[in-house]
């Protein structure tokens, strides 16, 4: 069964710091990987989708990479801001998305 | 605006009283799915639908029913809710169930917080 693990579970950084969130998965099958953001009590916002044939995607200050051979994806956030504070979830698969348990990020001013 | 709309946003009900949570998308997506989110367990899939009249079980389907009579709507039905179904529920949609190349991602609704007492 596909498992998705996210490390760390929580992260607290000062504003301006660059940071990396990690996502690892057990199934190296050809599926895409998606990163989401979830604000407290709210829904999920899609941040980046990496197609199975791609190695990375970029959107503004966010960059996500996918390494199927090692079963890992990383989300890089440059120059973090307090508005980036949220829980970040990675998910793998298609007909059935398998989610990691998330990394709770707090960026302090 | 392209979106997935869930209703209600919040619901408190009593054990055994049938309820329906509605989900509607305006993007002509073929694929729709329901998830529940619980502390420490993350998001788990309840049911999904590949197209009209085509539905299948996810990881935690017990106690739930779904139907897909129209492309845009995918209601979640709890025939006899129990306290262990207290959770945050999300509906999601995506353009094509056969898009294994992953060209398209998922769009999620804002969630329905259900409490069963």
């Amino acid at each position: 069964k596909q498992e998705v693990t996210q490390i760390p579970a929580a992260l607290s950084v000062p504003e301006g710091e660059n940071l990396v969130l990690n996502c690892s998965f057990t199934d190296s099958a050809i599926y895409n990987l998606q990163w989401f953001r979830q604000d407290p009590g709210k829904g999920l916002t899609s941040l980046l989708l990496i197609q199975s044939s791609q190695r990375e995607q970029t959107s503004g200050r966010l960059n996500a990479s996918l390494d199927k051979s090692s079963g890992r994806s990383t989300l890089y956030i440059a120059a973090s801001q307090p508005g980036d504070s949220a829980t970040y979830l990675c998910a793998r698969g298609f007909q059935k998305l398998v989610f990691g348990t998330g990394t709770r990020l707090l960026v302090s001013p | 605006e392209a979106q997935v709309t869930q209703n209600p946003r919040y619901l408190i009900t009593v054990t055994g009283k049938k309820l329906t949570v509605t989900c509607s998308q305006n993007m002509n997506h073929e694929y729709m799915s329901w998830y529940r989110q619980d502390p420490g367990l993350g998001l788990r899939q309840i049911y999904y639908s590949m197209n009209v009249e085509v539905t299948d079980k996810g990881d935690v389907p017990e106690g739930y029913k779904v139907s897909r009579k129209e492309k845009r709507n995918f209601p979640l039905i709890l025939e006899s809710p129990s306290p262990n179904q207290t959770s945050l529920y999300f509906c999601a949609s995506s353009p094509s169930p056969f898009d294994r190349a992953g060209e398209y991602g998922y769009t999620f609704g804002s969630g329905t917080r259900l409490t069963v007492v």
Side-chain angles (χ1 to χ4, degrees):
Chain A
K1 181 182 176 180
Q2 170 88 263
E3 291 187 359
V4 180
T5 306
Q6 290 187 247
I7 295 173
L11 183 63
S12 182
V13 300
E15 181 177 7
E17 197 161 295
N18 301 325
L19 56 98
V20 174
L21 307 181
N22 295 295
C23 172
S24 60
F25 43 89
T26 56
D27 183 359
S28 61
I30 303 175
Y31 295 124
N32 59 9
L33 187 135
Q34 195 163 2
W35 282 92
F36 295 90
R37 166 188 174 137
Q38 185 175 24
D39 294 282
K42 296 188 178 180
L44 280 71
T45 302
S46 179
L47 296 174
L48 289 166
L49 167 67
I50 310 175
Q51 297 178 30
S52 58
S53 59
Q54 296 176 325
R55 291 187 63 85
E56 67 176 334
Q57 281 284 356
T58 298
S59 176
R61 295 182 294 108
L62 305 180
N63 175 276
S65 66
L66 175 63
D67 184 344
K68 289 184 293 186
S69 62
S70 65
R72 291 185 60 189
S73 176
T74 59
L75 178 66
Y76 175 82
I77 302 177
S80 58
Q81 303 171 358
D84 293 331
S85 298
T87 296
Y88 290 81
L89 298 161
C90 66
R92 188 117 164 99
F94 189 75
Q95 288 178 15
K96 179 166 68 177
L97 275 182
V98 179
F99 284 86
T101 49
T103 294
R104 191 169 61 253
L105 173 66
L106 176 63
V107 181
S108 52
Chain B
E1 179 188 356
Q3 59 185 1
V4 175
T5 303
Q6 292 179 231
N7 281 297
R9 291 293 310 278
Y10 302 91
L11 179 60
I12 301 175
T13 190
V14 297
T15 298
K17 184 177 181 181
K18 181 179 179 179
L19 67 92
T20 299
V21 183
T22 64
C23 174
S24 180
Q25 49 93 4
N26 62 0
M27 297 166 281
N28 201 37
H29 285 174
E30 291 185 356
Y31 179 89
M32 298 184 75
S33 182
W34 277 102
Y35 293 83
R36 61 178 287 174
Q37 186 176 34
D38 302 288
L41 297 175
L43 279 144
R44 295 175 293 167
Q45 190 182 46
I46 303 171
Y47 270 95
Y48 65 93
S49 170
M50 305 249 281
N51 213 324
V52 175
E53 302 291 3
V54 181
T55 63
D56 207 348
K57 298 177 180 178
D59 287 328
V60 289
E62 295 78 20
Y64 304 95
K65 285 177 58 177
V66 293
S67 69
R68 188 93 182 272
K69 294 183 170 56
E70 310 166 273
K71 200 170 191 178
R72 64 182 293 126
N73 295 322
F74 190 44
L76 180 69
I77 303 158
L78 285 72
E79 298 248 335
S80 183
S82 62
N84 65 11
Q85 293 178 297
T86 292
S87 187
L88 180 58
Y89 291 86
F90 290 102
C91 180
S93 73
S94 183
S96 168
F98 300 110
D99 181 27
R100 293 190 178 277
E103 181 177 352
Y104 303 110
Y106 284 73
T107 301
F108 276 76
S110 299
T112 295
R113 186 168 293 281
L114 172 65
T115 301
V116 184
V117 298

